[in-house]
Amino acid sequence: MANHVLFESDHHRNLLIEDFGSGSMVQANQHLIIDKGRAMILDPGGHKIYSKVLSQTTSEVGTGKLEYIFLSHQDPDIVAAINGWLMTTDATAIAPSLWMRFIPHFGLDDLVASRLRPIDDDGCIMTLGGSELMILPAHFLHSCGNFQVYDATSKILYSGDLGASIGIDYLEVADFDAHIPKMQGFHQRYMTSNAAMRAWARMVESLEIEIIAPQHGAYFRGTMVKRFIDWCASLQCGLDLMSDVYQLPTRRATPS
Ligand code: FE
């Protein structure tokens, strides 16, 4: 199956790798940024898709080098196969500093543990090949230690779980209003609060963004980008909706 090219110039490519998830697993996108033969894979995923994503990555990178594995946060659909990635490549994995002591619980071999490096809370600007990538703080959206990647060359913002949509069969959002029901429930429950959403919207306002590409579901391009940012800024979610949930339960039931 062909991968989807989100951006291409003579030295820079942004690829969306086909979803290999199936069954009960949440659908997930894997993204690859390649500049002058140097590559970064974003949120590579868990064990069931590991070998296929690795072989796709290897063939796309060709004679170049996988330099970085970006882990936006600690969830299993992002991190679970990290030991395999570090054992079979000599890439450096980067992840929020908050999760440095937790990620090894996914079975990180001592041989490769030193190639897992922390990103401090305030993010950073990295070099990939000859291009710059901004590692943006996106904490509490949803994980309390969470980053996004902005690629200034392609003008793509990789937004991780923010922008995720569930149960769809299209890659790009064409009708924003029709798309809202596919993402609203997820954001209302997984995102922390409107305060975090608004702060994020303010931060990304100054960026020139052509595409917002989440880790699950369809991406937003062109006019859909601003619609999505505005939607985030106005969404009541998380604690805005659930502040009264902290009450002792009265219902007797076994999860079934
Ligand atoms: Fe997550």
Side-chain angles (χ1 to χ4, degrees):
M1 267 179 168
N3 295 326
H4 302 275
V5 179
L6 298 185
F7 176 87
E8 187 159 33
S9 72
D10 53 349
H11 63 88
H12 195 93
R13 272 191 309 152
N14 297 66
L15 300 162
L16 166 55
I17 298 178
E18 281 279 359
D19 170 42
F20 296 106
S22 59
S24 60
M25 296 192 303
V26 65
Q27 182 276 344
N29 302 319
Q30 280 72 46
H31 288 282
L32 198 57
I33 309 172
I34 308 173
D35 190 278
K36 294 184 175 162
R38 301 283 160 161
M40 174 188 277
I41 179 108
L42 286 80
D43 292 341
H47 301 292
K48 279 190 170 177
I49 58 167
Y50 159 71
S51 59
K52 285 176 180 166
V53 177
L54 180 66
S55 73
Q56 289 290 319
T57 301
T58 307
S59 72
E60 291 290 356
V61 174
T63 56
K65 179 183 177 335
L66 180 66
E67 198 155 282
Y68 294 111
I69 302 161
F70 171 77
L71 307 170
S72 62
H73 62 293
Q74 84 291 2
D75 275 346
D77 57 323
I78 284 158
V79 178
I82 189 59
N83 191 56
W85 281 92
L86 288 173
M87 291 293 253
T88 49
T89 70
D90 57 3
T92 298
I94 56 171
S97 58
L98 207 62
W99 300 120
M100 284 299 107
R101 291 166 188 244
F102 294 80
I103 291 172
H105 282 274
F106 282 108
L108 205 55
D109 197 286
D110 283 347
L111 286 170
V112 299
S114 65
R115 278 193 282 124
L116 174 65
R117 306 267 168 77
I119 310 166
D120 292 337
D121 266 354
D122 49 358
C124 61
I125 297 171
M126 297 180 57
T127 302
L128 181 73
S131 71
E132 280 195 343
L133 301 176
M134 261 187 203
I135 312 296
L136 301 171
H139 309 302
F140 307 106
L141 300 171
H142 67 96
S143 171
C144 55
N146 185 51
F147 289 100
Q148 299 177 350
V149 176
Y150 176 67
D151 173 10
T153 309
S154 62
K155 301 184 172 62
I156 297 175
L157 173 62
Y158 293 97
S159 58
D161 279 330
L162 190 65
S165 48
I166 311 284
I168 56 166
D169 57 5
Y170 46 90
L171 271 176
E172 181 174 347
V173 177
D175 180 338
F176 191 85
D177 293 322
H179 187 65
I180 288 174
K182 305 297 184 187
M183 57 179 180
Q184 183 158 303
F186 178 89
H187 287 75
Q188 285 176 330
R189 183 61 184 90
Y190 281 87
M191 298 299 150
T192 303
S193 70
N194 179 255
M197 294 289 248
R198 267 186 292 121
W200 172 84
R202 260 199 313 276
M203 174 181 71
V204 300
E205 244 167 36
S206 58
L207 297 172
E208 220 183 306
I209 303 171
E210 182 55 34
I211 291 178
I212 291 182
Q215 199 222 339
H216 308 283
Y219 59 84
F220 307 86
R221 189 198 293 262
T223 55
M224 297 295 153
V225 168
K226 186 170 167 17
R227 292 232 35 207
F228 174 68
I229 295 171
D230 290 347
W231 179 78
C232 287
S234 66
L235 187 74
Q236 297 293 297
C237 55
L239 282 172
D240 307 321
L241 305 175
M242 294 183 69
S243 57
D244 63 351
V245 81
Y246 302 100
Q247 297 180 37
L248 297 177
T250 54
R251 189 168 65 95
R252 287 183 191 279
T254 305
S256 56

